[in-house]
Amino acid sequence: MGKASETAEMVAAVRAAYHYGPEAALFDDPYAINMLGPQYWLKCRVPFLRQHYMRQGMFKRLKSSLSVLSRARYGEDQLAVAVKNGMRQYVILGAGFDTFALRAGAEFKEVTVFEVDTLHSQAAKRKKIRTCGREVAPDHRFVAVDFEKDKVGAKLIESGFDTLKPSFFSWQGVLIYLEKEAIIGALKGLADIAMPGSIIVADFMDGRLFDPGFLQTIPEIASDLERLMAHTASKGEPIVTGFVPTEFAELAEGCGWTMTDTVNSKEFAAKFLDGEPDYRWPTEFDHLVTLERVQ
Ligand SMILES: C[S@@+](CC[C@H](N)C(=O)[O-])C[C@H]1O[C@@H](n2cnc3c(N)ncnc32)[C@H](O)[C@@H]1O
Protein backbone atom coordinates (compact mmCIF):
# COMPACT_ATOMS: atom_id res chain seq x y z
CA MET A 1 0.00 0.00 0.00
CA GLY A 2 1.70 3.23 -1.15
CA LYS A 3 -0.74 5.54 0.63
CA ALA A 4 -2.53 5.88 3.94
CA SER A 5 -5.35 3.37 4.40
CA GLU A 6 -8.76 4.74 3.42
CA THR A 7 -10.58 1.93 5.23
CA ALA A 8 -8.87 3.14 8.43
CA GLU A 9 -10.54 6.51 7.92
CA MET A 10 -13.83 4.81 7.01
CA VAL A 11 -13.99 2.89 10.31
CA ALA A 12 -12.81 5.92 12.30
CA ALA A 13 -15.78 7.74 10.73
CA VAL A 14 -18.08 4.98 12.02
CA ARG A 15 -16.77 5.57 15.55
CA ALA A 16 -17.01 9.34 15.15
CA ALA A 17 -20.60 9.19 13.88
CA TYR A 18 -21.66 6.94 16.75
CA HIS A 19 -19.99 9.23 19.28
CA TYR A 20 -22.75 11.73 18.56
CA GLY A 21 -25.55 9.14 18.78
CA PRO A 22 -27.13 6.74 21.27
CA GLU A 23 -24.98 3.77 20.27
CA ALA A 24 -22.03 5.38 22.04
CA ALA A 25 -23.18 3.07 24.86
CA LEU A 26 -21.45 0.26 22.99
CA PHE A 27 -18.16 2.07 22.51
CA ASP A 28 -17.41 5.76 22.80
CA ASP A 29 -14.54 7.32 20.88
CA PRO A 30 -14.51 11.11 21.31
CA TYR A 31 -11.24 11.51 19.38
CA ALA A 32 -12.19 9.61 16.22
CA ILE A 33 -13.49 12.88 14.79
CA ASN A 34 -9.92 14.23 14.90
CA MET A 35 -8.76 11.46 12.59
CA LEU A 36 -11.04 12.46 9.72
CA GLY A 37 -10.46 14.48 6.58
CA PRO A 38 -12.91 17.30 5.75
CA GLN A 39 -15.48 15.13 3.91
CA TYR A 40 -15.96 12.56 6.64
CA TRP A 41 -15.67 15.29 9.29
CA LEU A 42 -18.66 17.17 7.86
CA LYS A 43 -20.70 13.98 7.53
CA CYS A 44 -20.11 13.06 11.16
CA ARG A 45 -20.20 16.48 12.79
CA VAL A 46 -23.09 18.32 11.14
CA PRO A 47 -26.32 16.80 12.57
CA PHE A 48 -28.46 16.66 9.42
CA LEU A 49 -25.54 15.42 7.32
CA ARG A 50 -24.85 12.81 9.95
CA GLN A 51 -28.47 11.66 9.89
CA HIS A 52 -28.32 11.33 6.14
CA TYR A 53 -24.92 9.65 6.26
CA MET A 54 -26.13 7.04 8.74
CA ARG A 55 -29.42 6.32 6.95
CA GLN A 56 -28.52 6.74 3.31
CA GLY A 57 -24.79 6.99 2.88
CA MET A 58 -22.02 4.73 4.00
CA PHE A 59 -24.09 2.93 6.62
CA LYS A 60 -26.35 1.61 3.91
CA ARG A 61 -23.29 0.06 2.35
CA LEU A 62 -21.97 -1.11 5.69
CA LYS A 63 -25.01 -2.49 7.52
CA SER A 64 -22.75 -4.21 9.97
CA SER A 65 -21.14 -0.92 10.98
CA LEU A 66 -21.91 -1.61 14.62
CA SER A 67 -19.39 -4.43 14.35
CA VAL A 68 -16.70 -1.75 14.31
CA LEU A 69 -17.88 -0.70 17.76
CA SER A 70 -18.42 -4.28 18.98
CA ARG A 71 -14.90 -5.33 18.16
CA ALA A 72 -13.42 -2.26 19.85
CA ARG A 73 -15.46 -2.91 23.00
CA TYR A 74 -14.61 -6.61 22.95
CA GLY A 75 -10.89 -5.86 22.73
CA GLU A 76 -10.64 -2.97 25.16
CA ASP A 77 -12.79 -4.63 27.86
CA GLN A 78 -10.38 -7.56 27.85
CA LEU A 79 -7.39 -5.25 27.73
CA ALA A 80 -8.62 -3.48 30.88
CA VAL A 81 -8.84 -6.80 32.74
CA ALA A 82 -5.41 -7.90 31.48
CA VAL A 83 -3.82 -4.62 32.57
CA LYS A 84 -5.44 -4.90 36.00
CA ASN A 85 -3.81 -8.33 36.22
CA GLY A 86 -0.40 -6.90 35.38
CA MET A 87 -0.12 -6.88 31.56
CA ARG A 88 2.23 -4.03 30.62
CA GLN A 89 2.62 -4.21 26.81
CA TYR A 90 -0.20 -3.48 24.39
CA VAL A 91 0.41 -4.02 20.68
CA ILE A 92 -2.20 -2.71 18.25
CA LEU A 93 -1.71 -4.56 14.96
CA GLY A 94 -3.02 -2.64 11.95
CA ALA A 95 -3.86 0.22 14.31
CA GLY A 96 -5.04 2.60 11.59
CA PHE A 97 -6.75 5.56 13.28
CA ASP A 98 -7.44 3.73 16.54
CA THR A 99 -7.33 6.43 19.24
CA PHE A 100 -6.56 4.31 22.30
CA ALA A 101 -3.33 6.26 22.76
CA LEU A 102 -5.34 9.49 23.10
CA ARG A 103 -8.12 8.04 25.24
CA ALA A 104 -6.10 5.92 27.67
CA GLY A 105 -6.75 6.85 31.29
CA ALA A 106 -4.48 6.70 34.33
CA GLU A 107 -5.04 2.95 34.76
CA PHE A 108 -2.96 2.42 31.59
CA LYS A 109 -0.09 4.72 32.49
CA GLU A 110 2.37 1.87 33.04
CA VAL A 111 1.49 0.21 29.74
CA THR A 112 3.83 0.61 26.78
CA VAL A 113 1.80 0.86 23.57
CA PHE A 114 3.15 -0.31 20.21
CA GLU A 115 1.17 0.67 17.12
CA VAL A 116 1.89 -1.46 14.08
CA ASP A 117 0.78 -0.38 10.62
CA THR A 118 2.19 0.60 7.25
CA LEU A 119 4.53 3.56 7.13
CA HIS A 120 2.03 5.61 5.09
CA SER A 121 -0.93 5.04 7.43
CA GLN A 122 1.27 5.90 10.41
CA ALA A 123 2.61 9.08 8.82
CA ALA A 124 -0.96 10.25 8.14
CA LYS A 125 -2.00 9.44 11.70
CA ARG A 126 0.94 11.22 13.31
CA LYS A 127 0.11 14.31 11.28
CA LYS A 128 -3.54 14.18 12.39
CA ILE A 129 -2.49 13.85 16.03
CA ARG A 130 -0.19 16.87 15.70
CA THR A 131 -2.85 18.89 13.86
CA CYS A 132 -5.44 18.39 16.59
CA GLY A 133 -2.88 19.45 19.21
CA ARG A 134 -2.84 16.15 21.09
CA GLU A 135 0.05 13.88 21.88
CA VAL A 136 0.81 10.27 22.67
CA ALA A 137 2.78 9.12 25.74
CA PRO A 138 6.56 9.68 25.50
CA ASP A 139 7.29 5.93 25.34
CA HIS A 140 4.63 5.24 22.67
CA ARG A 141 6.15 3.30 19.73
CA PHE A 142 5.10 3.48 16.09
CA VAL A 143 6.34 0.34 14.34
CA ALA A 144 6.16 0.38 10.53
CA VAL A 145 5.32 -3.10 9.23
CA ASP A 146 3.78 -4.56 6.11
CA PHE A 147 2.30 -7.89 7.23
CA GLU A 148 2.60 -9.22 3.68
CA LYS A 149 6.36 -8.56 3.52
CA ASP A 150 7.91 -7.96 6.94
CA LYS A 151 8.55 -10.08 9.99
CA VAL A 152 6.38 -8.41 12.60
CA GLY A 153 8.14 -10.13 15.54
CA ALA A 154 11.57 -8.87 14.49
CA LYS A 155 10.23 -5.35 13.88
CA LEU A 156 8.66 -5.26 17.34
CA ILE A 157 11.88 -6.36 18.98
CA GLU A 158 13.82 -3.67 17.07
CA SER A 159 11.34 -1.18 18.56
CA GLY A 160 11.99 -2.26 22.14
CA PHE A 161 9.33 -4.96 22.64
CA ASP A 162 10.19 -6.92 25.80
CA THR A 163 9.95 -10.67 25.24
CA LEU A 164 9.99 -11.29 28.99
CA LYS A 165 6.67 -9.53 29.56
CA PRO A 166 3.30 -11.08 28.66
CA SER A 167 1.60 -8.90 26.08
CA PHE A 168 -1.84 -8.04 24.82
CA PHE A 169 -2.23 -7.84 21.04
CA SER A 170 -5.28 -6.56 19.22
CA TRP A 171 -5.72 -7.23 15.51
CA GLN A 172 -9.02 -5.77 14.47
CA GLY A 173 -10.41 -4.93 11.08
CA VAL A 174 -7.25 -6.20 9.42
CA LEU A 175 -7.37 -9.96 8.75
CA ILE A 176 -9.93 -9.57 5.95
CA TYR A 177 -7.33 -7.60 3.95
CA LEU A 178 -4.48 -10.10 4.36
CA GLU A 179 -3.67 -13.28 2.47
CA LYS A 180 -3.77 -16.42 4.64
CA GLU A 181 0.00 -16.87 4.33
CA ALA A 182 0.59 -13.41 5.82
CA ILE A 183 -1.76 -14.18 8.73
CA ILE A 184 0.01 -17.46 9.44
CA GLY A 185 3.43 -15.77 9.19
CA ALA A 186 2.41 -13.05 11.63
CA LEU A 187 0.80 -15.47 14.12
CA LYS A 188 3.95 -17.61 14.13
CA GLY A 189 6.18 -14.55 14.42
CA LEU A 190 4.16 -13.25 17.36
CA ALA A 191 4.20 -16.69 19.05
CA ASP A 192 8.01 -16.60 18.86
CA ILE A 193 8.24 -13.35 20.82
CA ALA A 194 5.20 -13.61 23.11
CA MET A 195 5.52 -14.88 26.69
CA PRO A 196 3.05 -17.59 27.74
CA GLY A 197 -0.12 -15.88 28.95
CA SER A 198 -0.01 -13.35 26.12
CA ILE A 199 -3.33 -12.70 24.42
CA ILE A 200 -4.49 -11.78 20.93
CA VAL A 201 -7.97 -10.41 20.29
CA ALA A 202 -8.94 -10.41 16.63
CA ASP A 203 -11.94 -10.25 14.34
CA PHE A 204 -12.64 -11.65 10.90
CA MET A 205 -15.38 -12.13 8.36
CA ASP A 206 -17.12 -15.48 8.02
CA GLY A 207 -15.36 -17.45 5.29
CA ARG A 208 -18.68 -18.80 3.99
CA LEU A 209 -19.36 -15.33 2.58
CA PHE A 210 -16.84 -16.11 -0.16
CA ASP A 211 -19.04 -18.99 -1.36
CA PRO A 212 -21.55 -17.79 -4.02
CA GLY A 213 -23.86 -20.73 -3.22
CA PHE A 214 -24.02 -19.73 0.46
CA LEU A 215 -24.50 -16.06 -0.41
CA GLN A 216 -27.60 -16.94 -2.44
CA THR A 217 -29.23 -18.05 0.81
CA ILE A 218 -28.76 -14.62 2.44
CA PRO A 219 -29.55 -12.13 -0.36
CA GLU A 220 -29.73 -9.03 1.86
CA ILE A 221 -26.29 -9.59 3.34
CA ALA A 222 -24.97 -10.59 -0.08
CA SER A 223 -25.92 -7.27 -1.64
CA ASP A 224 -24.40 -5.27 1.25
CA LEU A 225 -21.25 -7.28 1.08
CA GLU A 226 -20.97 -6.84 -2.67
CA ARG A 227 -21.16 -3.06 -2.21
CA LEU A 228 -18.65 -3.08 0.64
CA MET A 229 -16.22 -5.27 -1.29
CA ALA A 230 -16.48 -3.10 -4.39
CA HIS A 231 -15.91 0.00 -2.27
CA THR A 232 -12.80 -1.23 -0.44
CA ALA A 233 -11.37 -2.71 -3.65
CA SER A 234 -11.81 0.68 -5.35
CA LYS A 235 -9.66 2.14 -2.54
CA GLY A 236 -6.93 -0.43 -3.21
CA GLU A 237 -7.85 -2.50 -0.12
CA PRO A 238 -9.66 -5.59 -1.39
CA ILE A 239 -11.27 -7.99 1.08
CA VAL A 240 -9.58 -11.32 0.42
CA THR A 241 -9.84 -13.61 3.45
CA GLY A 242 -12.42 -15.08 5.79
CA PHE A 243 -12.71 -18.03 8.15
CA VAL A 244 -15.27 -19.97 10.09
CA PRO A 245 -14.20 -19.92 13.76
CA THR A 246 -13.31 -23.65 13.89
CA GLU A 247 -11.02 -23.23 10.88
CA PHE A 248 -9.36 -20.19 12.45
CA ALA A 249 -8.92 -22.05 15.77
CA GLU A 250 -7.10 -24.84 13.94
CA LEU A 251 -4.93 -22.42 12.01
CA ALA A 252 -4.04 -20.49 15.19
CA GLU A 253 -3.26 -23.71 17.08
CA GLY A 254 -0.78 -24.63 14.35
CA CYS A 255 0.92 -21.27 14.94
CA GLY A 256 1.19 -21.61 18.74
CA TRP A 257 -2.06 -19.90 19.83
CA THR A 258 -5.09 -21.50 21.51
CA MET A 259 -8.51 -20.03 20.91
CA THR A 260 -10.11 -19.39 24.31
CA ASP A 261 -13.19 -17.46 23.23
CA THR A 262 -15.29 -16.85 20.16
CA VAL A 263 -18.53 -14.91 19.80
CA ASN A 264 -20.20 -13.31 16.83
CA SER A 265 -20.55 -9.59 16.74
CA LYS A 266 -24.36 -9.67 16.82
CA GLU A 267 -24.46 -11.73 20.03
CA PHE A 268 -21.78 -9.59 21.60
CA ALA A 269 -23.47 -6.27 20.79
CA ALA A 270 -26.80 -7.57 22.13
CA LYS A 271 -25.31 -7.51 25.64
CA PHE A 272 -25.02 -3.72 25.46
CA LEU A 273 -27.81 -2.49 23.20
CA ASP A 274 -31.53 -2.48 23.95
CA GLY A 275 -34.35 -2.99 21.55
CA GLU A 276 -34.95 -4.67 18.26
CA PRO A 277 -32.11 -4.95 15.77
CA ASP A 278 -32.37 -2.16 13.23
CA TYR A 279 -30.69 -1.66 9.89
CA ARG A 280 -27.31 -1.18 11.54
CA TRP A 281 -27.36 -4.28 13.71
CA PRO A 282 -24.14 -6.30 13.32
CA THR A 283 -24.48 -9.65 11.65
CA GLU A 284 -23.60 -13.11 12.87
CA PHE A 285 -21.02 -13.21 10.08
CA ASP A 286 -18.48 -11.04 11.91
CA HIS A 287 -16.52 -13.10 14.41
CA LEU A 288 -14.62 -11.95 17.50
CA VAL A 289 -11.99 -14.26 18.93
CA THR A 290 -9.46 -14.44 21.75
CA LEU A 291 -6.26 -16.44 21.42
CA GLU A 292 -3.84 -17.27 24.21
CA ARG A 293 -0.18 -18.19 24.00
CA VAL A 294 0.16 -21.39 25.95
CA GLN A 295 3.47 -23.18 26.22
C1 LIG B 1 -10.02 -1.11 8.40
S1 LIG B 1 -8.52 -0.50 9.00
C2 LIG B 1 -8.67 -0.96 10.72
C3 LIG B 1 -7.90 -0.03 11.60
C4 LIG B 1 -8.08 -0.25 13.10
N1 LIG B 1 -7.60 -1.54 13.53
C5 LIG B 1 -9.51 -0.03 13.50
O1 LIG B 1 -10.20 -1.01 13.83
O2 LIG B 1 -9.93 1.12 13.48
C6 LIG B 1 -7.31 -1.65 8.39
C7 LIG B 1 -5.90 -1.30 8.81
O3 LIG B 1 -5.03 -2.39 8.46
C8 LIG B 1 -3.85 -1.87 7.92
N2 LIG B 1 -3.28 -2.86 7.00
C9 LIG B 1 -3.89 -3.45 5.95
N3 LIG B 1 -3.01 -4.25 5.30
C10 LIG B 1 -1.84 -4.15 5.99
C11 LIG B 1 -0.57 -4.74 5.81
N4 LIG B 1 -0.32 -5.58 4.80
N5 LIG B 1 0.41 -4.42 6.67
C12 LIG B 1 0.17 -3.54 7.70
N6 LIG B 1 -1.03 -2.97 7.92
C13 LIG B 1 -2.03 -3.26 7.06
C14 LIG B 1 -4.28 -0.61 7.18
O4 LIG B 1 -3.19 0.28 6.97
C15 LIG B 1 -5.35 -0.06 8.11
O5 LIG B 1 -4.83 0.83 9.04
Side-chain angles (χ1 to χ4, degrees):
M1 227 187 292
K3 60 183 179 64
S5 163
E6 291 193 36
T7 63
E9 188 181 14
M10 181 173 95
V11 294
V14 170
R15 290 190 293 266
Y18 281 120
H19 170 66
Y20 299 103
E23 293 86 352
L26 182 53
F27 186 80
D28 190 24
D29 185 348
Y31 297 119
I33 193 78
N34 299 120
M35 298 293 120
L36 306 181
Q39 283 192 359
Y40 274 123
W41 190 94
L42 283 170
K43 284 179 189 170
C44 293
R45 198 65 192 91
V46 178
F48 79 91
L49 291 179
R50 177 178 162 270
Q51 280 285 7
H52 179 79
Y53 174 53
M54 294 186 79
R55 294 266 161 202
Q56 303 299 329
M58 192 264 276
F59 289 84
K60 212 171 167 188
R61 197 165 52 228
L62 188 60
K63 273 213 177 84
S64 61
S65 59
L66 276 174
S67 297
V68 172
L69 279 79
S70 297
R71 71 184 187 217
R73 178 70 182 264
Y74 180 79
E76 290 195 14
D77 276 4
Q78 290 197 61
L79 172 71
V81 173
V83 168
K84 231 182 212 162
N85 293 334
M87 203 81 100
R88 290 293 176 263
Q89 291 189 119
Y90 178 33
V91 183
I92 313 175
L93 300 161
F97 297 142
D98 177 301
T99 63
F100 174 82
L102 306 179
R103 290 181 282 106
E107 66 276 29
F108 297 103
K109 71 176 186 308
E110 287 172 21
V111 178
T112 306
V113 180
F114 297 79
E115 286 200 23
V116 175
D117 209 310
T118 64
L119 192 60
H120 295 282
S121 290
Q122 290 191 331
K125 181 176 193 173
R126 296 171 87 153
K127 191 167 168 202
K128 284 172 195 288
I129 293 173
R130 277 196 305 277
T131 306
C132 72
R134 304 196 180 275
E135 42 187 51
V136 294
D139 69 340
H140 188 91
R141 323 279 162 93
F142 285 100
V143 188
V145 169
D146 182 337
F147 295 117
E148 302 283 357
K149 296 185 187 142
D150 300 321
K151 294 197 180 313
V152 62
K155 292 275 183 184
L156 279 167
I157 287 181
E158 277 169 27
S159 303
F161 179 90
D162 187 342
T163 55
L164 299 178
K165 288 183 183 164
S167 302
F168 193 95
F169 300 87
S170 90
W171 207 5
Q172 296 185 327
V174 188
L175 300 195
I176 55 173
Y177 301 110
L178 301 179
E179 297 293 343
K180 250 180 210 172
E181 293 67 33
I183 296 171
I184 292 172
L187 284 173
K188 285 186 173 163
L190 295 174
D192 287 344
I193 62 163
M195 275 282 283
S198 294
I199 287 170
I200 299 178
V201 289
D203 74 309
F204 49 82
M205 192 173 94
D206 197 299
R208 289 172 299 171
L209 298 182
F210 287 91
D211 172 359
F214 181 74
L215 277 181
Q216 272 181 4
T217 65
I218 42 169
E220 211 193 271
I221 286 176
S223 60
D224 276 354
L225 184 65
E226 200 175 299
R227 277 195 292 270
L228 175 66
M229 282 182 148
H231 180 72
T232 68
S234 76
K235 304 293 177 194
E237 298 174 63
I239 293 174
V240 292
T241 297
F243 303 94
V244 289
T246 46
E247 181 192 2
F248 190 73
E250 206 171 295
L251 178 146
E253 195 70 43
C255 299
W257 295 92
T258 296
M259 190 186 282
T260 55
D261 184 49
T262 174
V263 62
N264 73 53
S265 195
K266 183 177 180 178
E267 281 167 6
F268 182 74
K271 292 193 219 167
F272 304 97
L273 298 174
D274 290 333
E276 283 299 299
D278 70 359
Y279 68 104
R280 288 165 288 173
W281 202 256
T283 75
E284 61 269 44
F285 300 108
D286 299 307
H287 300 288
L288 304 166
V289 296
T290 303
L291 309 177
E292 193 178 328
R293 178 81 179 110
V294 278
Q295 201 61 322

